[in-house]
Amino acid sequence: KWGTALLAGGFALSVLSQTLVLGLVPLAGSLMAPTANLVTAPYIAMLIGAAAATFPASFLLDAFGRRAAFALGASTGVAGGFVMAWALVANAFIPFCLGAFWLGIAQGFSLFYRHEAALGSGGQGRAMAIGVVFGAGTLAGLAGPALAVAAQAFFPESLFVGAALAAAISQVAVLALAVVSAGRAPVVAKPLGAARPAPAPTDWRAFAAPTFIAAIAWFAMTAQMVATPAAMAACGIPVGSVLNAVAWHVIAMYAPAFVAGAVAKLTGARTLALLGLAAIVVARYVSSQASGYLGFTAGLILVAVGWSLSTAAATMWLHREARPTRVALAAHDGLLFLAAILGAAAAIAPLGAR
């Protein structure tokens, strides 16, 4: 459907923007931070921005529709990318964190693309729509590293500036897709003059289980993502290889979602979510034993696959059983970002002790 295609395109471009800065934020933080304790502050600022956006995004989608809400979210991403680029040129750490916060707000809005796909699809096509939109982020993992290198070629004297500007331009494209999307939230058009049905109350017991499982996945994935690049550098692995491992990690974050819907039909969303957690446990063990590029990369890929399956399955589970209202959707995504913040904090403690 055209509506689902627009959602997939918008989500892919938003993930591309995040991918372009995923590698530069921790590295630039280490170069610009006034103290070692603030090295991960830009990354934390990005996560806080994403968490802070969840409730406004949900209510704006409900009150003003998809076009206005997603356009506003993309606009903050545009501003964030340009502010980060200026801060890198000026070597200004606090504005760099502010730009990361704004880009995080755009990330918080973009996560609602999968909810919009679910709300606008029928029961049979819901899992497939979620998988298509979420899986579209794979394109960002494929294109992001090459685009970052190409963008940096235009600014050889300013490290990372090209990637930050490319992230801002990606958000401009997200903004353009938002403008041409449907004005209201549903993907499937309602008959002219039809009354909008009142949503059924959320089943908060059914809400708790998928949210808890997805939160565990977000905590574990973020903790490993924050800790692994530093661990690779400590083992003498070159920066180029570290960025390459991160690129494979991003691809593995979204590619499994393409088949998650089909697998969920065979196993059920609950079983698929638990399989994702099992993959995360294996990833943790692999990373703890790693001492070279292949081991660390395998750990990053495994944790990303587990995160993808758990997140996609939890979304299917949530929409099928919990009957989520806008408040519930905002609470679900907000708790996921809160778990990610805690995961980053858990990874920071041992890094600071080194």
Side-chain angles (χ1 to χ4, degrees), residues 327-342:
V327 173
L329 292 178
H332 176 77
D333 284 4
L335 289 170
L336 299 191
F337 282 118
L338 176 60
I341 293 170
L342 294 176

Side-chain angles (χ1 to χ4, degrees), residues 235-268:
C235 291
I237 298 173
V239 173
S241 297
V242 174
L243 295 178
N244 183 263
V246 171
W248 281 110
H249 170 76
V250 174
I251 292 171
M253 283 175 63
Y254 298 102
F258 279 122
V259 300
V263 176
K265 288 183 179 180
L266 298 175
T267 65

Side-chain angles (χ1 to χ4, degrees), residues 32 78 99 113-114 138 159 171 177 204 212 223 259 283 289 326:
M32 299 170 62
V78 173
Y113 279 91
R114 77 195 199 285
T138 309
L159 193 62
Q171 289 291 341
L177 285 182
W204 290 101
F212 179 71
V259 300
Q289 303 299 311
R326 289 289 184 188

Side-chain angles (χ1 to χ4, degrees), residues 61-72:
L61 281 164
D62 194 41
F64 298 104
R66 184 185 307 151
R67 181 184 297 134
F70 285 153
L72 176 61

Side-chain angles (χ1 to χ4, degrees), residues 119-248:
L119 292 171
S121 302
Q124 295 296 323
R126 183 172 296 157
M128 186 62 67
I130 292 171
V132 168
V133 171
F134 205 57
T138 309
L139 301 175
L142 294 171
L147 185 57
V149 172
Q152 192 55 45
F154 289 96
F155 301 91
E157 297 180 357
S158 300
L159 193 62
F160 305 129
V161 171
L165 289 175
I169 294 170
S170 296
Q171 289 291 341
V172 171
V174 176
L175 175 60
L177 285 182
V179 169
V180 301
S181 68
R184 298 301 304 171
V187 176
V188 180
K190 298 289 189 295
L192 185 63
R196 189 175 182 179
T202 297
D203 183 345
W204 290 101
R205 290 184 180 180
F207 167 91
T211 301
F212 179 71
I213 289 176
I216 293 175
W218 279 62
F219 175 91
M221 192 274 288
T222 306
Q224 191 161 326
M225 178 59 227
V226 171
T228 297
M232 294 178 74
C235 291
I237 298 173
V239 173
S241 297
V242 174
L243 295 178
N244 183 263
V246 171
W248 281 110

